[in-house]
Amino acid sequence: MEMETPIPSSKQNPEMESSQTKQIFILSGQSNMAGRGGVTKHHKWDGVVPQECQPNPTAILRFSATRHWEPAREPLHSDIDTKKVCGVGPGMSFANAVRERVGVVGLVPCAVGGTAIKEWARGEHLYESMVMRAKESVKGGGEIRGLLWYQGESDTSHQHDAEAYQGNMEKLISNVREDLGLPSLPIIQVAITSGDKKYIEKVREAQFKISLPNVVCIDAKGLPLKEDNLHLTTEAQVKLGHMLADAYLTNFAPPQILPPHP
């Protein structure tokens, strides 16, 4: 691992605001999507950015809280999930893993820690903010290619929440697709690996049972957790980003066109 080197902001890079064929991915859910990798028990981020998460100012962009494109860098959610300290999440690892295949990657961070699925229902602030940010993100050029979703830990404490999870998640998928006018929008959801032991397996079961078209579920179980037994380590987030990238490239990316043999 190495420390991140400073990169200029979009104010010093006006080309970040120009029209580009961005391949846009929405990052949403709760804290393990927002990223707590490297955040210490004293609520400070250690600043360590693995090679797989290093910035690439011309190839990986992020949509800021003020709705401007800028070079992406860790922590991706620092101005979105503002009530907690953010660290490394899966977004940069994902983007670095797909960019050679898809081109310029645009990330739209929307995740907020500690949120239950009912807080992402249509009409709720978090849902409406996510949809608004997604719509705004394409105005300068680009296409929304997928929603990466990691959430569910906050629905593991009560039987009712766990039992309602599948229906709530299916409704969320339907609503997002309808509101964005993208009926086949790829969704990659992460099956949780932490939460209240009472109903974690029930939520995981609900996540795997969703069988809507263009919805893929990958499993976070077995990835290393921090001392809090809730949040993924930096190393785990790098791995998760690669798992998300593999799922996207395998299931949804256009076929790779190889040059003809001489």
Side-chain angles (χ1 to χ4, degrees), residues 33-66:
M33 178 58 77
R36 299 291 188 262
V39 176
T40 70
K41 59 185 177 183
H42 302 295
H43 307 294
K44 294 184 183 300
W45 179 45
D46 62 15
V48 176
V49 179
Q51 186 61 39
E52 297 92 336
C53 303
Q54 287 291 317
N56 187 317
T58 59
I60 306 175
L61 311 177
R62 74 181 285 275
F63 203 53
S64 72
T66 55

PDB file of all heavy atoms in Angstrom, residues 33-66:
ATOM      1  N   MET A  33     -20.646   0.294   1.378  1.00  0.00           N
ATOM      2  CA  MET A  33     -20.468   0.863   0.050  1.00  0.00           C
ATOM      3  C   MET A  33     -19.820   2.238   0.159  1.00  0.00           C
ATOM      4  O   MET A  33     -18.941   2.587  -0.637  1.00  0.00           O
ATOM      5  CB  MET A  33     -21.804   0.959  -0.690  1.00  0.00           C
ATOM      6  CG  MET A  33     -21.699   1.595  -2.087  1.00  0.00           C
ATOM      7  SD  MET A  33     -20.570   0.730  -3.219  1.00  0.00           S
ATOM      8  CE  MET A  33     -21.584  -0.671  -3.697  1.00  0.00           C
ATOM      9  N   ALA A  34     -20.218   3.026   1.153  1.00  0.00           N
ATOM     10  CA  ALA A  34     -19.581   4.331   1.346  1.00  0.00           C
ATOM     11  C   ALA A  34     -18.100   4.168   1.660  1.00  0.00           C
ATOM     12  O   ALA A  34     -17.274   4.977   1.250  1.00  0.00           O
ATOM     13  CB  ALA A  34     -20.284   5.087   2.465  1.00  0.00           C
ATOM     14  N   GLY A  35     -17.753   3.096   2.399  1.00  0.00           N
ATOM     15  CA  GLY A  35     -16.351   2.802   2.683  1.00  0.00           C
ATOM     16  C   GLY A  35     -15.920   3.216   4.072  1.00  0.00           C
ATOM     17  O   GLY A  35     -16.014   4.391   4.440  1.00  0.00           O
ATOM     18  N   ARG A  36     -15.486   2.206   4.845  1.00  0.00           N
ATOM     19  CA  ARG A  36     -14.879   2.475   6.154  1.00  0.00           C
ATOM     20  C   ARG A  36     -13.484   1.848   6.243  1.00  0.00           C
ATOM     21  O   ARG A  36     -12.909   1.763   7.320  1.00  0.00           O
ATOM     22  CB  ARG A  36     -15.767   1.919   7.276  1.00  0.00           C
ATOM     23  CG  ARG A  36     -17.167   2.522   7.333  1.00  0.00           C
ATOM     24  CD  ARG A  36     -17.173   3.977   7.760  1.00  0.00           C
ATOM     25  NE  ARG A  36     -18.545   4.465   7.975  1.00  0.00           N
ATOM     26  CZ  ARG A  36     -19.240   5.153   7.074  1.00  0.00           C
ATOM     27  NH1 ARG A  36     -18.692   5.460   5.898  1.00  0.00           N
ATOM     28  NH2 ARG A  36     -20.481   5.556   7.336  1.00  0.00           N
ATOM     29  N   GLY A  37     -12.947   1.424   5.111  1.00  0.00           N
ATOM     30  CA  GLY A  37     -11.613   0.840   5.091  1.00  0.00           C
ATOM     31  C   GLY A  37     -10.561   1.832   5.558  1.00  0.00           C
ATOM     32  O   GLY A  37     -10.479   2.950   5.041  1.00  0.00           O
ATOM     33  N   GLY A  38      -9.787   1.444   6.556  1.00  0.00           N
ATOM     34  CA  GLY A  38      -8.730   2.318   7.064  1.00  0.00           C
ATOM     35  C   GLY A  38      -9.192   3.333   8.093  1.00  0.00           C
ATOM     36  O   GLY A  38      -8.386   4.127   8.584  1.00  0.00           O
ATOM     37  N   VAL A  39     -10.474   3.334   8.436  1.00  0.00           N
ATOM     38  CA  VAL A  39     -10.965   4.239   9.487  1.00  0.00           C
ATOM     39  C   VAL A  39     -10.698   3.581  10.839  1.00  0.00           C
ATOM     40  O   VAL A  39     -11.144   2.464  11.097  1.00  0.00           O
ATOM     41  CB  VAL A  39     -12.470   4.542   9.318  1.00  0.00           C
ATOM     42  CG1 VAL A  39     -12.972   5.408  10.471  1.00  0.00           C
ATOM     43  CG2 VAL A  39     -12.721   5.243   7.991  1.00  0.00           C
ATOM     44  N   THR A  40      -9.953   4.256  11.683  1.00  0.00           N
ATOM     45  CA  THR A  40      -9.533   3.689  12.962  1.00  0.00           C
ATOM     46  C   THR A  40     -10.647   3.771  13.996  1.00  0.00           C
ATOM     47  O   THR A  40     -11.659   4.459  13.800  1.00  0.00           O
ATOM     48  CB  THR A  40      -8.301   4.435  13.502  1.00  0.00           C
ATOM     49  OG1 THR A  40      -8.706   5.762  13.910  1.00  0.00           O
ATOM     50  CG2 THR A  40      -7.213   4.551  12.441  1.00  0.00           C
ATOM     51  N   LYS A  41     -10.425   3.107  15.125  1.00  0.00           N
ATOM     52  CA  LYS A  41     -11.419   3.153  16.212  1.00  0.00           C
ATOM     53  C   LYS A  41     -11.512   4.542  16.817  1.00  0.00           C
ATOM     54  O   LYS A  41     -12.435   4.830  17.572  1.00  0.00           O
ATOM     55  CB  LYS A  41     -11.088   2.117  17.279  1.00  0.00           C
ATOM     56  CG  LYS A  41      -9.726   2.276  17.926  1.00  0.00           C
ATOM     57  CD  LYS A  41      -9.459   1.110  18.880  1.00  0.00           C
ATOM     58  CE  LYS A  41      -8.074   1.214  19.493  1.00  0.00           C
ATOM     59  NZ  LYS A  41      -7.782   0.050  20.376  1.00  0.00           N
ATOM     60  N   HIS A  42     -10.536   5.405  16.491  1.00  0.00           N
ATOM     61  CA  HIS A  42     -10.578   6.794  16.952  1.00  0.00           C
ATOM     62  C   HIS A  42     -11.254   7.692  15.927  1.00  0.00           C
ATOM     63  O   HIS A  42     -11.164   8.923  16.001  1.00  0.00           O
ATOM     64  CB  HIS A  42      -9.163   7.291  17.247  1.00  0.00           C
ATOM     65  CG  HIS A  42      -8.435   6.460  18.264  1.00  0.00           C
ATOM     66  ND1 HIS A  42      -8.843   6.364  19.575  1.00  0.00           N
ATOM     67  CD2 HIS A  42      -7.340   5.660  18.141  1.00  0.00           C
ATOM     68  CE1 HIS A  42      -8.018   5.554  20.233  1.00  0.00           C
ATOM     69  NE2 HIS A  42      -7.110   5.105  19.391  1.00  0.00           N
ATOM     70  N   HIS A  43     -11.915   7.058  14.939  1.00  0.00           N
ATOM     71  CA  HIS A  43     -12.703   7.773  13.934  1.00  0.00           C
ATOM     72  C   HIS A  43     -11.850   8.712  13.082  1.00  0.00           C
ATOM     73  O   HIS A  43     -12.247   9.840  12.787  1.00  0.00           O
ATOM     74  CB  HIS A  43     -13.857   8.546  14.591  1.00  0.00           C
ATOM     75  CG  HIS A  43     -14.702   7.679  15.478  1.00  0.00           C
ATOM     76  ND1 HIS A  43     -15.472   6.634  15.006  1.00  0.00           N
ATOM     77  CD2 HIS A  43     -14.870   7.680  16.832  1.00  0.00           C
ATOM     78  CE1 HIS A  43     -16.083   6.043  16.014  1.00  0.00           C
ATOM     79  NE2 HIS A  43     -15.731   6.638  17.134  1.00  0.00           N
ATOM     80  N   LYS A  44     -10.701   8.205  12.687  1.00  0.00           N
ATOM     81  CA  LYS A  44      -9.851   8.924  11.736  1.00  0.00           C
ATOM     82  C   LYS A  44      -9.480   7.965  10.615  1.00  0.00           C
ATOM     83  O   LYS A  44      -9.247   6.773  10.866  1.00  0.00           O
ATOM     84  CB  LYS A  44      -8.585   9.463  12.404  1.00  0.00           C
ATOM     85  CG  LYS A  44      -8.830  10.539  13.442  1.00  0.00           C
ATOM     86  CD  LYS A  44      -7.519  11.083  13.979  1.00  0.00           C
ATOM     87  CE  LYS A  44      -7.743  12.121  15.072  1.00  0.00           C
ATOM     88  NZ  LYS A  44      -8.514  13.291  14.626  1.00  0.00           N
ATOM     89  N   TRP A  45      -9.412   8.480   9.386  1.00  0.00           N
ATOM     90  CA  TRP A  45      -8.978   7.660   8.266  1.00  0.00           C
ATOM     91  C   TRP A  45      -7.455   7.651   8.212  1.00  0.00           C
ATOM     92  O   TRP A  45      -6.823   8.697   8.361  1.00  0.00           O
ATOM     93  CB  TRP A  45      -9.558   8.190   6.956  1.00  0.00           C
ATOM     94  CG  TRP A  45      -9.134   7.409   5.752  1.00  0.00           C
ATOM     95  CD1 TRP A  45      -9.100   6.060   5.623  1.00  0.00           C
ATOM     96  CD2 TRP A  45      -8.659   7.940   4.508  1.00  0.00           C
ATOM     97  NE1 TRP A  45      -8.645   5.690   4.362  1.00  0.00           N
ATOM     98  CE2 TRP A  45      -8.370   6.824   3.668  1.00  0.00           C
ATOM     99  CE3 TRP A  45      -8.456   9.221   4.023  1.00  0.00           C
ATOM    100  CZ2 TRP A  45      -7.880   6.989   2.362  1.00  0.00           C
ATOM    101  CZ3 TRP A  45      -7.987   9.378   2.722  1.00  0.00           C
ATOM    102  CH2 TRP A  45      -7.706   8.269   1.910  1.00  0.00           C
ATOM    103  N   ASP A  46      -6.850   6.479   8.001  1.00  0.00           N
ATOM    104  CA  ASP A  46      -5.388   6.390   8.020  1.00  0.00           C
ATOM    105  C   ASP A  46      -4.730   6.927   6.751  1.00  0.00           C
ATOM    106  O   ASP A  46      -3.502   7.037   6.679  1.00  0.00           O
ATOM    107  CB  ASP A  46      -4.934   4.947   8.295  1.00  0.00           C
ATOM    108  CG  ASP A  46      -5.373   3.958   7.217  1.00  0.00           C
ATOM    109  OD1 ASP A  46      -5.787   4.382   6.110  1.00  0.00           O
ATOM    110  OD2 ASP A  46      -5.301   2.729   7.477  1.00  0.00           O
ATOM    111  N   GLY A  47      -5.522   7.257   5.727  1.00  0.00           N
ATOM    112  CA  GLY A  47      -4.982   7.864   4.522  1.00  0.00           C
ATOM    113  C   GLY A  47      -4.283   6.909   3.571  1.00  0.00           C
ATOM    114  O   GLY A  47      -3.731   7.346   2.555  1.00  0.00           O
ATOM    115  N   VAL A  48      -4.303   5.626   3.870  1.00  0.00           N
ATOM    116  CA  VAL A  48      -3.618   4.656   3.020  1.00  0.00           C
ATOM    117  C   VAL A  48      -4.510   4.279   1.836  1.00  0.00           C
ATOM    118  O   VAL A  48      -5.650   3.844   2.023  1.00  0.00           O
ATOM    119  CB  VAL A  48      -3.233   3.394   3.815  1.00  0.00           C
ATOM    120  CG1 VAL A  48      -2.611   2.343   2.899  1.00  0.00           C
ATOM    121  CG2 VAL A  48      -2.262   3.759   4.937  1.00  0.00           C
ATOM    122  N   VAL A  49      -3.971   4.467   0.640  1.00  0.00           N
ATOM    123  CA  VAL A  49      -4.706   4.145  -0.584  1.00  0.00           C
ATOM    124  C   VAL A  49      -3.936   3.056  -1.340  1.00  0.00           C
ATOM    125  O   VAL A  49      -2.840   3.294  -1.834  1.00  0.00           O
ATOM    126  CB  VAL A  49      -4.869   5.386  -1.488  1.00  0.00           C
ATOM    127  CG1 VAL A  49      -5.606   5.027  -2.779  1.00  0.00           C
ATOM    128  CG2 VAL A  49      -5.619   6.483  -0.739  1.00  0.00           C
ATOM    129  N   PRO A  50      -4.487   1.845  -1.413  1.00  0.00           N
ATOM    130  CA  PRO A  50      -3.796   0.772  -2.136  1.00  0.00           C
ATOM    131  C   PRO A  50      -3.608   1.121  -3.615  1.00  0.00           C
ATOM    132  O   PRO A  50      -4.329   1.960  -4.164  1.00  0.00           O
ATOM    133  CB  PRO A  50      -4.750  -0.425  -1.984  1.00  0.00           C
ATOM    134  CG  PRO A  50      -5.629  -0.081  -0.844  1.00  0.00           C
ATOM    135  CD  PRO A  50      -5.754   1.399  -0.822  1.00  0.00           C
ATOM    136  N   GLN A  51      -2.656   0.454  -4.240  1.00  0.00           N
ATOM    137  CA  GLN A  51      -2.388   0.701  -5.650  1.00  0.00           C
ATOM    138  C   GLN A  51      -3.646   0.534  -6.495  1.00  0.00           C
ATOM    139  O   GLN A  51      -3.886   1.283  -7.449  1.00  0.00           O
ATOM    140  CB  GLN A  51      -1.297  -0.269  -6.141  1.00  0.00           C
ATOM    141  CG  GLN A  51      -0.834  -0.016  -7.573  1.00  0.00           C
ATOM    142  CD  GLN A  51      -0.226   1.367  -7.756  1.00  0.00           C
ATOM    143  OE1 GLN A  51       0.502   1.858  -6.881  1.00  0.00           O
ATOM    144  NE2 GLN A  51      -0.544   2.026  -8.867  1.00  0.00           N
ATOM    145  N   GLU A  52      -4.477  -0.447  -6.144  1.00  0.00           N
ATOM    146  CA  GLU A  52      -5.676  -0.735  -6.927  1.00  0.00           C
ATOM    147  C   GLU A  52      -6.720   0.380  -6.837  1.00  0.00           C
ATOM    148  O   GLU A  52      -7.666   0.410  -7.639  1.00  0.00           O
ATOM    149  CB  GLU A  52      -6.327  -2.041  -6.447  1.00  0.00           C
ATOM    150  CG  GLU A  52      -5.456  -3.269  -6.627  1.00  0.00           C
ATOM    151  CD  GLU A  52      -4.609  -3.577  -5.398  1.00  0.00           C
ATOM    152  OE1 GLU A  52      -4.323  -2.653  -4.597  1.00  0.00           O
ATOM    153  OE2 GLU A  52      -4.233  -4.756  -5.235  1.00  0.00           O
ATOM    154  N   CYS A  53      -6.551   1.280  -5.875  1.00  0.00           N
ATOM    155  CA  CYS A  53      -7.523   2.356  -5.662  1.00  0.00           C
ATOM    156  C   CYS A  53      -6.955   3.734  -6.000  1.00  0.00           C
ATOM    157  O   CYS A  53      -7.581   4.756  -5.710  1.00  0.00           O
ATOM    158  CB  CYS A  53      -7.992   2.367  -4.209  1.00  0.00           C
ATOM    159  SG  CYS A  53      -8.700   0.807  -3.649  1.00  0.00           S
ATOM    160  N   GLN A  54      -5.779   3.759  -6.603  1.00  0.00           N
ATOM    161  CA  GLN A  54      -5.147   5.036  -6.922  1.00  0.00           C
ATOM    162  C   GLN A  54      -5.964   5.812  -7.958  1.00  0.00           C
ATOM    163  O   GLN A  54      -6.642   5.223  -8.804  1.00  0.00           O
ATOM    164  CB  GLN A  54      -3.732   4.808  -7.453  1.00  0.00           C
ATOM    165  CG  GLN A  54      -2.719   4.380  -6.391  1.00  0.00           C
ATOM    166  CD  GLN A  54      -2.411   5.485  -5.402  1.00  0.00           C
ATOM    167  OE1 GLN A  54      -2.231   6.633  -5.781  1.00  0.00           O
ATOM    168  NE2 GLN A  54      -2.362   5.137  -4.125  1.00  0.00           N
ATOM    169  N   PRO A  55      -5.915   7.137  -7.886  1.00  0.00           N
ATOM    170  CA  PRO A  55      -6.676   7.946  -8.842  1.00  0.00           C
ATOM    171  C   PRO A  55      -6.090   7.873 -10.254  1.00  0.00           C
ATOM    172  O   PRO A  55      -4.909   7.592 -10.437  1.00  0.00           O
ATOM    173  CB  PRO A  55      -6.554   9.368  -8.281  1.00  0.00           C
ATOM    174  CG  PRO A  55      -5.349   9.342  -7.400  1.00  0.00           C
ATOM    175  CD  PRO A  55      -5.225   7.951  -6.872  1.00  0.00           C
ATOM    176  N   ASN A  56      -6.942   8.107 -11.214  1.00  0.00           N
ATOM    177  CA  ASN A  56      -6.548   8.262 -12.615  1.00  0.00           C
ATOM    178  C   ASN A  56      -7.367   9.438 -13.137  1.00  0.00           C
ATOM    179  O   ASN A  56      -8.492   9.261 -13.602  1.00  0.00           O
ATOM    180  CB  ASN A  56      -6.836   6.984 -13.402  1.00  0.00           C
ATOM    181  CG  ASN A  56      -6.284   7.046 -14.817  1.00  0.00           C
ATOM    182  OD1 ASN A  56      -6.397   8.062 -15.499  1.00  0.00           O
ATOM    183  ND2 ASN A  56      -5.676   5.955 -15.253  1.00  0.00           N
ATOM    184  N   PRO A  57      -6.824  10.653 -13.040  1.00  0.00           N
ATOM    185  CA  PRO A  57      -7.626  11.876 -13.223  1.00  0.00           C
ATOM    186  C   PRO A  57      -8.330  11.991 -14.569  1.00  0.00           C
ATOM    187  O   PRO A  57      -9.343  12.681 -14.667  1.00  0.00           O
ATOM    188  CB  PRO A  57      -6.602  12.997 -13.040  1.00  0.00           C
ATOM    189  CG  PRO A  57      -5.525  12.397 -12.200  1.00  0.00           C
ATOM    190  CD  PRO A  57      -5.445  10.958 -12.607  1.00  0.00           C
ATOM    191  N   THR A  58      -7.825  11.348 -15.605  1.00  0.00           N
ATOM    192  CA  THR A  58      -8.468  11.459 -16.918  1.00  0.00           C
ATOM    193  C   THR A  58      -9.405  10.299 -17.210  1.00  0.00           C
ATOM    194  O   THR A  58     -10.202  10.365 -18.148  1.00  0.00           O
ATOM    195  CB  THR A  58      -7.416  11.529 -18.035  1.00  0.00           C
ATOM    196  OG1 THR A  58      -6.595  10.352 -17.988  1.00  0.00           O
ATOM    197  CG2 THR A  58      -6.537  12.757 -17.891  1.00  0.00           C
ATOM    198  N   ALA A  59      -9.326   9.226 -16.427  1.00  0.00           N
ATOM    199  CA  ALA A  59     -10.107   8.028 -16.748  1.00  0.00           C
ATOM    200  C   ALA A  59     -11.155   7.672 -15.709  1.00  0.00           C
ATOM    201  O   ALA A  59     -12.080   6.910 -15.998  1.00  0.00           O
ATOM    202  CB  ALA A  59      -9.170   6.835 -16.944  1.00  0.00           C
ATOM    203  N   ILE A  60     -11.029   8.191 -14.470  1.00  0.00           N
ATOM    204  CA  ILE A  60     -11.999   7.878 -13.422  1.00  0.00           C
ATOM    205  C   ILE A  60     -12.448   9.188 -12.775  1.00  0.00           C
ATOM    206  O   ILE A  60     -11.643   9.902 -12.164  1.00  0.00           O
ATOM    207  CB  ILE A  60     -11.414   6.938 -12.347  1.00  0.00           C
ATOM    208  CG1 ILE A  60     -10.832   5.675 -12.990  1.00  0.00           C
ATOM    209  CG2 ILE A  60     -12.493   6.569 -11.334  1.00  0.00           C
ATOM    210  CD1 ILE A  60     -10.135   4.761 -11.995  1.00  0.00           C
ATOM    211  N   LEU A  61     -13.732   9.487 -12.911  1.00  0.00           N
ATOM    212  CA  LEU A  61     -14.295  10.722 -12.389  1.00  0.00           C
ATOM    213  C   LEU A  61     -15.347  10.397 -11.338  1.00  0.00           C
ATOM    214  O   LEU A  61     -15.860   9.285 -11.278  1.00  0.00           O
ATOM    215  CB  LEU A  61     -14.932  11.535 -13.516  1.00  0.00           C
ATOM    216  CG  LEU A  61     -14.080  11.744 -14.772  1.00  0.00           C
ATOM    217  CD1 LEU A  61     -14.872  12.507 -15.829  1.00  0.00           C
ATOM    218  CD2 LEU A  61     -12.790  12.486 -14.436  1.00  0.00           C
ATOM    219  N   ARG A  62     -15.632  11.376 -10.493  1.00  0.00           N
ATOM    220  CA  ARG A  62     -16.725  11.217  -9.523  1.00  0.00           C
ATOM    221  C   ARG A  62     -17.634  12.427  -9.605  1.00  0.00           C
ATOM    222  O   ARG A  62     -17.199  13.546  -9.913  1.00  0.00           O
ATOM    223  CB  ARG A  62     -16.197  11.043  -8.098  1.00  0.00           C
ATOM    224  CG  ARG A  62     -15.670  12.309  -7.472  1.00  0.00           C
ATOM    225  CD  ARG A  62     -15.136  12.096  -6.053  1.00  0.00           C
ATOM    226  NE  ARG A  62     -16.190  11.930  -5.076  1.00  0.00           N
ATOM    227  CZ  ARG A  62     -16.818  12.945  -4.469  1.00  0.00           C
ATOM    228  NH1 ARG A  62     -16.520  14.198  -4.775  1.00  0.00           N
ATOM    229  NH2 ARG A  62     -17.738  12.718  -3.562  1.00  0.00           N
ATOM    230  N   PHE A  63     -18.921  12.196  -9.307  1.00  0.00           N
ATOM    231  CA  PHE A  63     -19.922  13.241  -9.302  1.00  0.00           C
ATOM    232  C   PHE A  63     -20.034  13.748  -7.875  1.00  0.00           C
ATOM    233  O   PHE A  63     -20.495  13.031  -6.981  1.00  0.00           O
ATOM    234  CB  PHE A  63     -21.255  12.671  -9.790  1.00  0.00           C
ATOM    235  CG  PHE A  63     -22.204  13.686 -10.345  1.00  0.00           C
ATOM    236  CD1 PHE A  63     -21.804  14.557 -11.343  1.00  0.00           C
ATOM    237  CD2 PHE A  63     -23.516  13.758  -9.875  1.00  0.00           C
ATOM    238  CE1 PHE A  63     -22.696  15.489 -11.880  1.00  0.00           C
ATOM    239  CE2 PHE A  63     -24.408  14.680 -10.401  1.00  0.00           C
ATOM    240  CZ  PHE A  63     -23.998  15.548 -11.411  1.00  0.00           C
ATOM    241  N   SER A  64     -19.592  14.969  -7.650  1.00  0.00           N
ATOM    242  CA  SER A  64     -19.479  15.498  -6.294  1.00  0.00           C
ATOM    243  C   SER A  64     -20.848  15.815  -5.700  1.00  0.00           C
ATOM    244  O   SER A  64     -21.878  15.789  -6.386  1.00  0.00           O
ATOM    245  CB  SER A  64     -18.633  16.774  -6.304  1.00  0.00           C
ATOM    246  OG  SER A  64     -19.379  17.835  -6.910  1.00  0.00           O
ATOM    247  N   ALA A  65     -20.857  16.152  -4.411  1.00  0.00           N
ATOM    248  CA  ALA A  65     -22.106  16.523  -3.739  1.00  0.00           C
ATOM    249  C   ALA A  65     -22.715  17.772  -4.360  1.00  0.00           C
ATOM    250  O   ALA A  65     -23.938  17.960  -4.325  1.00  0.00           O
ATOM    251  CB  ALA A  65     -21.854  16.734  -2.240  1.00  0.00           C
ATOM    252  N   THR A  66     -21.877  18.622  -4.945  1.00  0.00           N
ATOM    253  CA  THR A  66     -22.377  19.832  -5.613  1.00  0.00           C
ATOM    254  C   THR A  66     -22.694  19.571  -7.077  1.00  0.00           C
ATOM    255  O   THR A  66     -22.899  20.497  -7.855  1.00  0.00           O
ATOM    256  CB  THR A  66     -21.360  20.980  -5.492  1.00  0.00           C
ATOM    257  OG1 THR A  66     -20.081  20.539  -5.996  1.00  0.00           O
ATOM    258  CG2 THR A  66     -21.196  21.404  -4.043  1.00  0.00           C
TER     259      THR A  66
END
